[in-house]
Amino acid sequence: MKLSQKHKVLSFLYFTVCGTVVFLSSCATVDQELGIDQIPDKLRMKIQIDTLTEINAYTCSVDSLITSRWEEQYLGSMISPEFGRTQCGLVGEYLFNGFRSDSMWGDEPTIDSVVLAMTVNSSIGDTNYVHTISMYDLKQSLPDTDAFTSNFDISTYIDPEPIVTFSGKSNQQYIRAHLPKSYGERYLDTTGRIYIDDELFYDKFPGSYFEVVRNTNEGSILALDMTNTQVAIYYHNKNKPTPDTSMLLLSYTNDVLYAPSVSFTTISHDYSLADPIKGVDASTINDTINSQKKTYVQGMGGLLTRIEIPQEQIDKIKNKVKALGYSNIVVNNAVLLVPLLDPSIASMNQSLPRLGMYYNYATQQLIPDYNPYVEDDTYELPYDGYLNRAFKGYKMDITTYVQYLFAGRTEQNKTEIASSIGFEEYPTGAFLDNGLSEPIKLSITYTMIK
């Protein structure tokens, strides 16, 4: 139906008026606090964000680190300009497999040769470096534990003279050495049921210790697969009617959960060999009185950074909240921001991939936010702790720990930043900035409750 000109005009006026009414109503001011006076006073709350920058930081040495639970063990000597020399020795017990009889060698056995084969998974440092390696006998049994530490004093356990000294290159997958026949002949003595009872076996054959000559240049550290590091004893006998030519394989192991034997790494550090300009300042290590602008974290049981959130900083926020008429604080989010001293790509490439936080690193006492044992392929902690290349440092979500501080549930306002679990074996580290360019910061988002 065709509309008349009059109807078109009326329709236009009608929609114009309606549109104007809608437009005007949509521009009306809304009272965002409408009804706020109906909320009981005790339920009123407000969100606040504060950033703490006056955080004390100290460099401390790691007195001991459990190394017998590592998947690989380490041997070598390496000097870096950042951390000086790291020296690794290696202790290993043979894996006792058990035998059916003490007469396993047969009639009149004779040792033909004894060969040590060490399996190298990887190396760190100068791949062309040639180590001089010495193998020693342990002259007494190791303590009955699976928690051997990096500072274990092996000197009282070893014979003064090595069984053999040989060369091993860093880029070799296998390092082999011929041991004297006399080393194999000791295992021919089967009296006392030593091949049937593991305790008797370890009492008679406690294990081995390997060390390398301390290097004076870059050097390297070898990562060894101890399960595939073995001594093969080749022999023949005069069994009748058919003599045997055979081999006894003595293997080490890394499996501390199921094997009766153990392997572990001993570690020492010499920071006096660090570059005096860009390396560790050894004079600051273990100075826990003077807060430092530059601190260090190092793998291989080297160094950690102890941080302290001053109690007066916590009290200052609590007093401010109280002065505003609120009585409680709920921490919504607390993130520790730890910048790298040198944010260059080269520095970040050499820094530890992840840092963990502990009440006590040596005893592996974790803060409540950090428990990597619960992580898997489908779940990762909010804690984070990974090197953040965009931020050029590390970020740690420590919300629960900070809530404990405000609630008075812990008096431990000192924590330790160290290698994350799973990265303790890295010989690298991180130089952290606490005010030379940027300070360590703690950003806290919290809700104030009446």
Side-chain angles (χ1 to χ4, degrees), residues 301-372:
L303 301 171
L304 58 81
T305 291
R306 181 173 297 161
I307 66 167
E308 177 186 15
I309 302 172
Q311 185 60 45
E312 55 266 26
Q313 296 286 324
I314 301 297
D315 292 339
K316 183 178 179 180
I317 293 177
K318 292 169 73 173
N319 292 335
K320 179 179 72 172
V321 169
K322 186 177 180 180
L324 292 173
Y326 296 89
S327 58
N328 291 305
I329 293 174
V330 175
V331 178
N332 306 94
N333 183 248
V335 177
L336 188 70
L337 307 170
V338 185
L340 281 174
L341 183 66
D342 176 10
S344 67
I345 294 175
S347 175
M348 288 192 285
N349 288 342
Q350 294 177 2
S351 296
L352 283 163
R354 192 184 195 189
L355 300 181
M357 284 190 69
Y358 310 78
Y359 288 125
N360 188 301
Y361 178 57
T363 61
Q364 298 286 281
Q365 186 182 359
L366 313 173
I367 68 166
D369 303 274
Y370 174 64
N371 183 6

Side-chain angles (χ1 to χ4, degrees), residues 4-18:
S4 66
Q5 187 65 28
K6 180 178 179 181
H7 282 107
K8 289 181 180 180
V9 173
L10 290 175
S11 297
F12 173 77
L13 292 174
Y14 172 77
F15 286 111
T16 301
V17 171
C18 289

Side-chain angles (χ1 to χ4, degrees), residues 103-137:
S103 61
M104 62 173 195
W105 296 99
D107 298 330
E108 300 182 53
T110 300
I111 302 299
D112 296 316
S113 64
V114 184
V115 179
L116 165 70
M118 309 181 82
T119 298
V120 181
N121 283 347
S122 62
S123 66
I124 305 153
D126 181 0
T127 56
N128 292 314
Y129 188 81
V130 179
H131 284 291
T132 299
I133 305 171
S134 293
M135 177 183 180
Y136 294 83
D137 250 346

Side-chain angles (χ1 to χ4, degrees), residues 163-181:
I163 299 165
V164 66
T165 297
F166 54 97
S167 297
K169 200 171 182 180
S170 298
N171 59 10
Q172 290 177 290
Q173 185 178 0
Y174 302 102
I175 297 175
R176 290 184 173 88
H178 282 271
L179 308 186
K181 291 183 181 179

Side-chain angles (χ1 to χ4, degrees), residues 113-372:
S113 64
V114 184
V115 179
L116 165 70
M118 309 181 82
T119 298
V120 181
N121 283 347
S122 62
S123 66
I124 305 153
D126 181 0
T127 56
N128 292 314
Y129 188 81
V130 179
H131 284 291
T132 299
I133 305 171
S134 293
M135 177 183 180
Y136 294 83
D137 250 346
L138 299 186
K139 60 185 179 181
Q140 58 179 307
S141 298
L142 294 169
D144 185 16
T145 179
D146 66 354
F148 287 93
T149 59
S150 57
N151 64 342
F152 185 87
D153 184 5
I154 197 66
S155 62
T156 59
Y157 286 81
I158 61 174
D159 287 328
E161 295 298 323
I163 299 165
V164 66
T165 297
F166 54 97
S167 297
K169 200 171 182 180
S170 298
N171 59 10
Q172 290 177 290
Q173 185 178 0
Y174 302 102
I175 297 175
R176 290 184 173 88
H178 282 271
L179 308 186
K181 291 183 181 179
S182 58
Y183 183 80
E185 288 169 351
R186 73 183 69 185
Y187 294 94
L188 294 176
D189 182 5
T190 62
T191 59
R193 299 173 60 84
I194 60 170
Y195 288 106
I196 296 176
D197 184 283
D198 62 342
E199 290 187 10
L200 295 176
F201 179 86
Y202 290 122
D203 283 343
K204 187 154 188 174
F205 307 120
S208 312
Y209 171 65
F210 300 88
E211 71 173 11
V212 301
V213 173
R214 295 180 184 272
N215 68 303
T216 55
N217 48 32
E218 182 183 354
S220 70
I221 294 176
L222 311 177
L224 299 177
D225 178 357
M226 293 303 291
T227 301
N228 291 305
T229 294
Q230 304 158 331
V231 171
I233 303 176
Y234 298 92
Y235 68 97
H236 68 273
N237 58 35
K238 295 183 179 181
N239 284 356
K240 296 179 180 180
T242 306
D244 289 331
T245 298
S246 190
M247 175 189 70
L248 173 67
L249 195 62
L250 298 172
S251 301
Y252 299 95
T253 182
N254 285 342
D255 192 348
V256 297
L257 294 178
Y258 302 105
S261 60
V262 67
S263 299
F264 64 96
T265 302
T266 61
I267 307 171
S268 63
H269 299 276
D270 185 353
Y271 299 108
S272 67
L273 299 176
D275 186 304
I277 297 176
K278 64 178 182 179
V280 168
D281 181 355
S283 67
T284 65
I285 298 174
N286 295 325
D287 178 0
T288 56
I289 297 176
N290 303 299
S291 181
Q292 297 154 22
K293 300 292 186 183
K294 176 174 67 173
T295 62
Y296 315 97
V297 173
Q298 181 190 14
M300 282 277 178
L303 301 171
L304 58 81
T305 291
R306 181 173 297 161
I307 66 167
E308 177 186 15
I309 302 172
Q311 185 60 45
E312 55 266 26
Q313 296 286 324
I314 301 297
D315 292 339
K316 183 178 179 180
I317 293 177
K318 292 169 73 173
N319 292 335
K320 179 179 72 172
V321 169
K322 186 177 180 180
L324 292 173
Y326 296 89
S327 58
N328 291 305
I329 293 174
V330 175
V331 178
N332 306 94
N333 183 248
V335 177
L336 188 70
L337 307 170
V338 185
L340 281 174
L341 183 66
D342 176 10
S344 67
I345 294 175
S347 175
M348 288 192 285
N349 288 342
Q350 294 177 2
S351 296
L352 283 163
R354 192 184 195 189
L355 300 181
M357 284 190 69
Y358 310 78
Y359 288 125
N360 188 301
Y361 178 57
T363 61
Q364 298 286 281
Q365 186 182 359
L366 313 173
I367 68 166
D369 303 274
Y370 174 64
N371 183 6

Side-chain angles (χ1 to χ4, degrees), residues 419-437:
S419 300
S420 177
I421 292 170
F423 296 99
E424 307 102 320
E425 305 160 43
Y426 281 49
T428 56
F431 284 27
L432 307 180
D433 193 353
N434 189 32
L436 288 178
S437 297

